[in-house]
Amino acid sequence: MTTYPAISDSLDRQTSQQFYIDGRWVHPAIAASLPVIDPATEQVVAQVARGSAEDVERAVAAARAAFAGWSATPVAARAQVLGKIHALILERTEQLAQALCLEMGAAIGFARAMQVPLAAEHVRVARDVLSSYRFQTVERGTAIEREPIGVCGLITPWNWPLYQITAKVAPAIAAGCTVVLKPSELSPLSALLFAQLVHDAGLPPGVFNLVNGSGAEVGAAMAAHPDIDMISITGSNRAGALVAQAAAPTVKRVTQELGGKSPNVLLPDADFAKAVPLGVMSAFRNVGQSCSAPTRMIVPKDRLAEVEALAAATANALIVGDPQSQDTQLGPIANQAQFDRVQAMIQVGLDEGARLVCGGPGRVAGFATGFYTRPTVFSEVASAMRIAQEEIFGPVLCILAYESVDQAVAIANDTVYGLGAHVQGRDLQLARAVASRIRAGQVHLNHPAWNPMAPFGGYKRSGNGREYGVQGFEEYLETKAIIGFGE
Ligand code: NAD
């Protein structure tokens, strides 16, 4: 079995066959493993231990035992450990980027510049929010206290593996909770590096625990576990609903970051020469594998030809290829199942009669192996089509035409999802008015810089709860009112 040379310094074969529980690397209860496949070569590059309900049991017991001590640890001491985790992520950027490249095909430049630093930002934000947070307020004799909810089960996906982990782990431990993390079984390598990093940062044993394995085994055992107080999952609607069902008998808190089909409304006064390329780039960022990717570009009917030409020029200029090459903008799709799904949905678009502007089915020319997908743009897409309604999670953009701003808003809202949205226009008053009419958890006006303090989460079937910033931190807190507290 090949190991993964680029990251072998800190993640050896031994560690990948173990879990991190109670401050130590431990063997799984039952010896079993899961292959990790490099989507660029389709070769198995590692085997990680595959957990079971018994491993969850051990991890939850460790987290429960650590809770009393960690929740009572002074804010300054908790903030200090978070600061150390933040520094170590940045220090180990190269190892983490290599792991992301190998486990899910992230282009190495993108992993170094985005996936890793943005993951570090969640830790910095959690530390900063913690440092200034008022855990107690008193008004008219009643105290409102915010307390950590307890043991949290965190379930993360493969598309932004490290980023999704820090978006949950950092606020949870900042709040004083202890955690059991189950990363995606498809991208477990960066998670193992993260566990080692948390250990090196000096987090006390039991505060952070990691068990690898499948959703059906480890994830389901966590969701149903009576001693887990809260589950936070990011992933598909299917898994999010299964987690909520399994969690219901124990009445735990469930937060869900699920799918999206985010609209990008180009108002008639938008700067099309800028807005269209930026819209295509943000739809195809991370090879389109982002839950909030703006994959429905909604444009004035009389500007359709111009939009199509700009979109095709942008998509055709993208460098798709070996994720290890510094020039590559889009690596392969992260795994076989997702590649198959994207290919099937491109075919659906053709069958439904949408007009192919560029891209199409099949691998990128020159690649016989690797899940390399052609950046694909469809136009004349009707809102009722499956390609406009279903999350594709690949580099596939739908262009839909509108005749009035009211119709644009109606198309934007014609979805079961409500995660992200974009609006482009020079008249900020109009753009704001349109933003307020869109049913989504986060609206971006004219492609602003990313703001890690802005709460992120879904309306409708995109989920429940928020991540990032103060609101993301507060998801991990309980509320206690003490009436008769006095002034
Ligand atoms: P998934 O929902 O199956 O996996 C996400 C996480 O949930 C993984 O850790 C998985 O092991 C776990 N999980 C799965 N079933 C579970 C269960 N019954 N109980 C507990 N945990 C469970 O997602 P996927 O297979 O990785 O991707 C499938 C689709 O999900 C994609 O096509 C995409 O549409 C969507 N997706 C969305 C996001 C997002 O951020 N919104 C991320 C990844 C995938």
Side-chain angles (χ1 to χ4, degrees):
M1 175 62 51
T2 351
T3 50
Y4 13 108
I7 55 172
S8 61
D9 285 352
S10 56
L11 181 59
D12 56 29
R13 185 92 192 278
Q14 181 69 10
T15 308
S16 68
Q17 299 292 334
Q18 296 182 320
F19 302 137
Y20 184 75
I21 296 176
D22 207 13
R24 292 181 301 126
W25 289 98
V26 298
H27 288 286
I30 302 162
S33 57
L34 284 165
V36 182
I37 295 165
D38 175 355
T41 61
E42 301 180 39
Q43 298 297 309
V44 175
V45 287
Q47 296 281 348
V48 297
R50 172 186 189 140
S52 62
E54 265 182 77
D55 301 301
V56 172
E57 211 54 63
R58 278 199 289 175
V60 173
R64 176 57 60 196
F67 179 65
W70 182 246
S71 57
T73 299
V75 162
R78 298 210 300 261
Q80 196 179 15
V81 183
L82 284 158
K84 185 78 180 145
I85 294 172
H86 176 249
L88 284 176
I89 292 176
L90 295 179
E91 203 178 299
R92 298 182 189 176
T93 294
E94 188 56 26
Q95 287 167 346
L96 291 162
Q98 293 288 348
L100 292 160
C101 183
L102 205 56
E103 70 189 0
M104 54 78 66
I108 194 67
F110 183 74
R112 288 176 184 139
M114 303 292 286
Q115 291 250 13
V116 179
L118 299 193
E121 273 298 274
H122 288 313
V123 184
R124 183 194 61 76
V125 164
R127 181 200 59 192
D128 291 354
V129 169
L130 167 66
S131 300
S132 61
Y133 194 74
R134 290 178 69 196
F135 286 89
Q136 187 195 63
T137 52
V138 181
E139 207 173 308
R140 279 181 264 163
T142 294
I144 306 291
E145 295 192 344
R146 306 301 309 269
E147 297 176 348
I149 189 165
V151 174
C152 299
L154 311 177
I155 300 175
T156 54
W158 48 259
N159 58 332
W160 286 79
L162 185 66
Y163 174 98
Q164 307 280 13
I165 287 171
T166 58
K168 297 188 193 302
V169 172
I173 63 176
C177 296
T178 57
V179 307
V180 177
L181 169 70
K182 191 207 86 64
S184 169
E185 58 274 38
L186 300 169
S187 59
L189 303 180
S190 56
L192 289 164
L193 289 173
F194 179 74
Q196 185 61 48
L197 183 153
V198 161
H199 178 85
D200 295 345
L203 195 68
V207 175
F208 169 89
N209 304 277
L210 174 141
V211 179
N212 275 317
S214 73
E217 291 165 292
V218 174
M222 287 165 62
H225 202 290
D227 216 19
I228 288 185
D229 300 293
M230 165 175 168
I231 290 273
S232 175
I233 176 168
T234 296
S236 62
N237 284 59
R238 182 196 63 85
L242 286 171
V243 162
Q245 282 170 349
T250 50
V251 198
K252 51 174 65 75
R253 183 178 298 171
V254 177
T255 67
Q256 302 149 309
E257 298 292 349
L258 308 176
K261 193 75 188 176
S262 300
N264 181 6
V265 177
L266 273 63
L267 293 169
D269 71 341
D271 180 350
F272 282 66
K274 266 194 197 162
V276 176
L278 283 173
V280 172
M281 295 303 280
S282 52
F284 290 175
R285 202 165 73 129
N286 204 34
V287 201
Q289 302 165 118
S290 297
C291 40
S292 60
T295 50
R296 293 184 297 139
M297 190 177 276
I298 302 168
V299 306
K301 195 169 187 178
D302 59 359
R303 308 290 292 269
L304 203 52
E306 180 188 354
V307 169
E308 287 170 1
L310 286 164
T314 309
N316 288 331
L318 284 166
I319 303 169
V320 187
D322 180 0
Q324 286 290 350
S325 163
Q326 184 60 39
D327 297 335
T328 294
Q329 289 168 290
L330 306 187
I333 290 268
N335 54 70
Q336 174 89 59
Q338 194 56 33
F339 178 74
D340 293 345
R341 158 130 184 108
V342 173
Q343 291 298 322
M345 288 304 290
I346 292 173
Q347 191 55 50
V348 165
L350 295 172
D351 296 346
E352 286 181 310
R355 198 155 62 71
L356 189 65
V357 174
C358 64
R363 285 174 213 256
V364 171
F367 290 96
T369 51
F371 305 126
Y372 296 99
T373 304
R374 301 167 69 193
T376 296
V377 177
F378 282 111
S379 188
E380 295 175 27
V381 175
S383 191
M385 288 180 183
R386 282 183 60 199
I387 56 167
Q389 290 295 325
E390 297 179 22
E391 188 177 45
I392 299 175
F393 230 60
V396 182
L397 176 71
C398 295
I399 301 175
L400 298 93
Y402 69 83
E403 290 183 53
S404 67
V405 171
D406 282 349
Q407 194 191 4
V409 171
I411 294 171
N413 286 329
D414 182 21
T415 169
V416 296
Y417 295 113
L419 193 53
H422 290 244
V423 180
Q424 324 297 333
R426 287 192 174 89
D427 176 352
L428 201 53
Q429 293 306 329
L430 177 62
R432 286 175 181 164
V434 169
S436 69
R437 295 172 65 190
I438 295 179
R439 304 274 300 160
Q442 203 171 71
V443 188
H444 297 237
L445 303 186
N446 296 318
H447 293 289
W450 182 64
N451 176 5
M453 285 301 290
F456 179 78
Y459 281 34
K460 303 195 267 182
R461 291 196 203 165
S462 288
N464 286 296
R466 292 292 177 270
E467 296 199 293
Y468 317 167
V470 176
Q471 288 85 350
F473 176 81
E474 288 180 333
E475 293 287 347
Y476 295 94
L477 298 175
E478 273 290 12
T479 300
K480 179 185 285 171
I482 307 179
I483 303 158
F485 186 85
E487 293 306 319

